[in-house]
Amino acid sequence: MLRAGALLALGGAAAPLTGCGLLDRGDEPAPEPDPLTPLLDESLRLAAGHRDAAAAHPALATLLTPIAEAHRAHAAELARLAGVPLPSGSAPATTATTPGDPAAARAALRESERAGREAATRACAAAPAERAALLASIVAARATHVEALK
């Protein structure tokens, strides 16, 4: 009985120590970022690029605003799947400014969409089945954006 009492006392004394971190070794690695995070960031950049170009070239707003909204919707869904909050502010499109010529702005956006489509295609190919449908729809949307920007 004394042994049982001693073990219980030791066990009771050790439990609080492990909870306070004295016996924790801290060997647990930080969790890996979700593989959707780069695609989420890219969706926000694309949305900002289209929004900025629409502001710089009002004649293109009818074309570019729905594309920007589609990218923002993709970002919201990617954030939901990744379990991260969607940033409330808008990301800067790039460090460069929107080209002054509307045709050049469309060409720059088209190239961004092509690169984005390729990134989404790679992410889709590597994704588990439960994420592949969303990523495939993002690939299709970006391919459509490339065509719309011609």
Side-chain angles (χ1 to χ4, degrees):
M1 235 160 121
L2 287 175
R3 280 188 204 166
L7 288 175
L8 184 60
L10 265 178
L17 292 177
T18 60
C20 70
L22 290 176
L23 299 179
D24 290 344
R25 294 180 36 196
D27 291 342
E28 293 183 30
E32 291 290 322
D34 192 288
L36 294 180
T37 302
L39 205 55
L40 166 62
D41 295 341
E42 183 179 50
S43 292
L44 292 172
R45 278 191 305 278
L46 285 167
H50 286 280
R51 186 200 63 240
D52 293 350
H57 306 290
L60 297 177
T62 303
L63 171 66
L64 301 180
T65 300
I67 297 174
E69 290 170 0
H71 285 300
R72 188 77 180 163
H74 294 158
E77 190 59 19
L78 289 165
R80 185 190 68 76
L81 276 179
V84 298
L86 184 64
S88 58
S90 56
T94 62
T95 54
T97 59
T98 300
D101 174 44
R106 284 175 74 152
L109 291 170
R110 191 170 47 251
E111 188 52 41
S112 294
E113 290 287 349
R114 276 192 194 112
R117 181 190 63 209
E118 291 171 14
T121 300
R122 286 189 301 276
C124 184
E130 64 272 7
R131 291 179 167 191
L134 171 66
L135 296 174
S137 69
I138 291 173
V139 171
R142 290 180 180 180
T144 302
H145 299 162
V146 169
E147 293 303 312
L149 290 165
K150 285 186 175 178

